[in-house]
Every structure is written in structure tokens, then in C-alpha cells.
Amino acid sequence: MDTPNIAYTVAKGPKDSLHYVFSSIGAPTILVAKTTKTNMKLKVNWTKLLSDNVTDMKNSVQFSPTPDYSFAVVFTKLYEYNDTDDHANITQVPLLDKLNMSQWVVRDFKNFTWEALSLNSDAKNNRAVFKTSMINVPFKNNTNSSVSFSMQVFGTDNRETIFPQLKYTANSTLVDVELNEVTPSFLQSRYAVEMVFLSGDGKAGIKESRSIDDEYTPGVFKTVDWKMDRHTSKQPQELGSFVQWKPVCYLTPDRDRQNDTKVKYYPSVNTTVVPQKSLAYAYYGDQLPTVVMSATNVSFGLEKDKFYNKFNYTVWTSVIGYGTPPADEISVLVIVVIIAGLGTPVLVIVVGGIYVCVKKKTKLKVKADFGAESSYSAIN
């Protein structure tokens, strides 16, 4: 049986506050609400939230007074597929096999049983970590299998110290998805997760950006932003929400860059489905018909990386937040290296050019001095 759990924390700023709610009830969900009011509080009707009646569950989680803006990210499914042709791409699985599911195992997170939340609060680094892992999940013959979600919230802007060293702000939270000792169903198993992004208003889309700098995540020059954009002609100043990640995950707990592999995302699509009995369902409730919902899949693996079976471990990190996604800035060190790399050859060329010009001018002067008529008369 699930252990009912909700983690709740507030990031207070000078003009507004962000309220973070994390729960594995129904499916792992992160709910964020932004308000300019100082007295907003979370209200939970536990009787309705834990009711077997889905209708009762609606609106069982609320903020009072109503926030200015809210959004949620729900992790809905864990996909496992047999990548017999080693494409590392879920769209390359033969359609017939996908229909009869002989090459697929689809696990709904709503059917997982989750343990109680653990809290690790680090006052020195102004950080709180909430973590939950599944228990008694139908993985074959392995009681040590675990699928875990952890959420870290911060009171400052900084960058994580472990790979992929994503940048975070006080307006965002780091989320880790970890597959540990999951017993594969196939010899060439790969995994993917499905996520649903919900918001009261906005337009969702995924965009990939490139950088010339891989200082923080060696070998990775791309960043993926899944945004719920609220910038319109009527609301030019309204900020939306986002999920951001680097297209890389790690195959060992120490996140050694020698043991990383690719994260592939797929086009987001509009959806009307959100897991019943989830935190998002409980909060948006009767508003669901008008809520914007977008879904995407994220898969783990790269051709010829020997599949999940090689390490039996994968961890993927993303940042979920309000406002504009953090942008990687070129550090002073990299700027100095670039200047040194580009400046030294230019300096050599300039100095060399000056030297050649001076040398040529000196030769011309000497030649002119020797070639002129002399006014000196020999003494007989």
C-alpha cells in the first residue's frame, strides 16, 4: 500500500513567492504556484485526496488565496522496449510489434507502490532534497530494483557540482530520475519516461539550443528547453514555466563522464489525459477541461552503448522552474582561453609584420646611404 506523502516548501522573494509541492500519490508530480500575496497557504483535504472515489479527489488540494499562476509536471509512464536493431530510438521499433506489444513493456507510474518521502535538509547550502522510491513493483525476480525521484530546491542561484552541472535558480528545482538494478525484460532493453506538462494557460513547445562551450558538461553542446510560453500581445510581460535538461544521462552513480549516454526527446503533443488520483488531478480538478496539457517522451541510450543491461543503472537530471530557463554563460576562464587561443596568433602576425616592415625600411635606408654621391674630396 502507498504511503501518502506530500512535500511542501516555499521560496520567498521580495515581491512574490513560489510554492513547491511534490508527491508520489497517483504518479510522481511536481506542482508549482506563484503568488504576489504573502498569506497564501496550501490546503489539503486528506479524506478526499485519499478517497477511492475519483470524483471526490477533485479539488482536494488547493491554495488559498488563488495563486497568480500555476503549473505541474507529472511523470506518467515508464516504457521498456526491445531495441533489437540498436537504433536507440523508440520511433524505430517496428509498428506491428508496437501494436501487439511483443517488444514493449509499458508500466504506469500510477500502478507503482511508493515508499514514504525522505527529507534531507542542508541548511548550510540552503537546500532541501525530497526522495521517494517504488516498492513492490512488478519487475522480474529482483527485489533490489528501484525507480526513484528526487527533488532539490534551493535558496540561491548556482550550478550543481555533479554532472551534468545544470544551472539552477531560486525559481527552479532539480529533479533526478534514477533507474537502479531494474531487471530488463529483453536482452536489448532500453527505457524511456513519459511526462505531462500542465498549466492554467500558455503554449507548450520544445526547443534545442547550441553552445560553443562544454565546460560544465564535457562533450555536450546542446540544451533542451520544454517551455510553457505565456508571452502574447495581450500579456507581453507574463512569464511562463519550463523543463530544461542536457541530452545526456549517466550509467553509474558517480556520474563518470566515461560512462554517460544520450538522452533523446520526441516532439511534444497536446493531450487531455492526466493520471487520476495524482496531485495534478487533485489540484486542477474541475479546471482540467480548460488546462493546457502537453506530453513528451524522453528515452535513454545511444547506438552501440550495449543497452541498459550493461550497467543496470541510469540517472537523468532536469530543471523544472518558473520564468525564463537559465542560459549557459561562457565563463571568464573560457573567455581567457579563447582570447589566448585567438589573440596569440594575431599578435604573432602583427609583431611579425611590424618586424618585416622595419627590417625592409632599414635595408632601403642603408642602400640609399651607400648609393648617394659623396661630397668628400680625396687629398692628393
Side-chain angles (χ1 to χ4, degrees):
M1 181 177 179
D2 269 335
T3 302
N5 59 74
I6 285 182
Y8 175 51
T9 186
V10 181
K12 294 183 178 180
K15 296 182 179 180
D16 54 25
S17 299
L18 288 177
H19 294 241
Y20 296 94
V21 188
F22 177 52
S23 178
S24 62
I25 295 175
T29 304
I30 296 170
L31 171 67
V32 182
K34 178 252 182 185
T35 183
T36 54
K37 302 177 180 67
T38 58
N39 61 338
M40 191 175 84
K41 294 181 179 180
L42 177 69
K43 293 186 176 182
V44 179
N45 185 324
W46 284 100
T47 301
K48 290 186 176 182
L49 179 63
L50 302 178
S51 172
D52 292 331
N53 188 324
V54 175
T55 303
D56 287 345
M57 190 176 183
K58 287 184 177 180
N59 311 311
S60 59
V61 175
Q62 291 294 304
F63 289 102
S64 180
T66 303
D68 303 314
Y69 175 67
S70 67
F71 68 93
V73 176
V74 186
F75 293 88
T76 50
K77 291 183 176 68
L78 177 66
Y79 292 106
E80 180 183 358
Y81 66 100
N82 191 15
D83 193 12
T84 54
D85 295 326
D86 199 14
H87 289 305
N89 186 328
I90 61 177
T91 64
Q92 297 297 314
V93 178
L95 183 60
L96 179 61
D97 288 333
K98 187 173 181 179
L99 287 175
N100 64 34
M101 306 304 287
S102 66
Q103 302 298 311
W104 290 79
V105 177
V106 180
R107 299 177 176 92
D108 278 294
F109 283 129
K110 67 181 180 181
N111 296 328
F112 282 37
T113 302
W114 301 94
E115 66 183 13
L117 278 170
S118 63
L119 169 63
N120 179 13
S121 182
D122 185 348
K124 180 179 179 181
N125 295 311
N126 206 6
R127 170 189 311 191
V129 181
F130 306 99
K131 183 175 182 178
T132 187
S133 298
M134 62 85 196
I135 52 178
N136 299 327
V137 179
F139 288 113
K140 294 182 179 179
N141 305 319
N142 190 350
T143 57
N144 294 321
S145 296
S146 70
V147 178
S148 301
F149 291 84
S150 66
M151 179 185 76
Q152 300 182 58
V153 290
F154 306 87
T156 56
D157 298 356
N158 209 328
R159 190 179 292 276
E160 185 63 310
T161 57
I162 58 176
F163 289 144
Q165 297 192 102
L166 291 178
K167 189 175 182 179
Y168 58 79
T169 70
N171 290 344
S172 62
T173 176
L174 278 173
V175 178
D176 284 340
V177 180
E178 181 186 61
L179 309 179
N180 185 28
E181 293 294 335
V182 173
T183 304
S185 302
F186 313 106
L187 294 177
Q188 295 91 16
S189 281
R190 295 192 189 280
Y191 290 90
V193 293
E194 179 188 77
M195 299 183 293
V196 176
F197 198 171
L198 303 89
S199 176
D201 60 78
K203 182 179 181 180
I206 299 180
K207 183 179 180 181
E208 186 177 271
S209 60
R210 296 175 180 266
S211 173
I212 63 171
D213 181 17
D214 69 339
E215 176 186 2
Y216 298 108
T217 315
V220 180
F221 296 88
K222 298 178 182 179
T223 301
V224 182
D225 294 321
W226 186 17
K227 296 198 297 182
M228 190 69 75
D229 201 347
R230 301 173 71 208
H231 291 282
T232 66
S233 58
K234 295 182 180 180
Q235 298 175 309
Q237 303 301 321
E238 293 294 338
L239 295 177
S241 45
F242 64 87
V243 183
Q244 182 184 77
W245 65 87
K246 297 277 190 177
V248 63
C249 60
Y250 297 90
L251 305 176
T252 56
D254 59 2
R255 305 195 185 204
D256 184 351
R257 59 171 295 207
Q258 302 301 320
N259 294 317
D260 61 16
T261 193
K262 185 178 180 180
V263 171
K264 182 176 178 60
Y265 69 92
Y266 302 84
S268 59
V269 296
N270 293 331
T271 184
T272 58
V273 179
V274 65
Q276 294 181 346
K277 295 193 174 183
S278 67
L279 176 65
Y281 185 87
Y283 175 69
Y284 286 106
D286 293 330
Q287 304 175 49
L288 280 173
T290 62
V291 169
V292 179
M293 287 188 274
S294 177
T296 191
N297 295 317
V298 175
S299 63
F300 313 120
L302 180 68
E303 301 92 331
K304 300 181 180 179
D305 66 359
K306 299 185 179 180
F307 312 100
Y308 176 84
N309 311 44
K310 181 179 180 180
F311 290 96
N312 281 346
Y313 183 89
T314 297
V315 61
W316 171 59
T317 301
S318 62
V319 176
I320 297 174
Y322 167 77
T324 303
D328 276 339
E329 299 174 352
I330 299 178
S331 68
V332 175
L333 175 62
V334 173
I335 293 175
V336 169
V337 171
I338 292 175
I339 291 175
L342 296 177
T344 301
V346 172
L347 183 61
V348 170
I349 292 171
V350 172
V351 172
I354 293 174
Y355 175 80
V356 170
C357 291
V358 170
K359 193 75 173 176
K360 183 179 288 188
K361 187 174 181 180
T362 302
K363 286 183 178 180
L364 290 173
K365 183 177 180 182
V366 170
K367 185 175 181 181
D369 288 342
F370 277 98
E373 290 186 4
S374 177
S375 59
Y376 174 79
S377 298
I379 299 175
N380 294 327

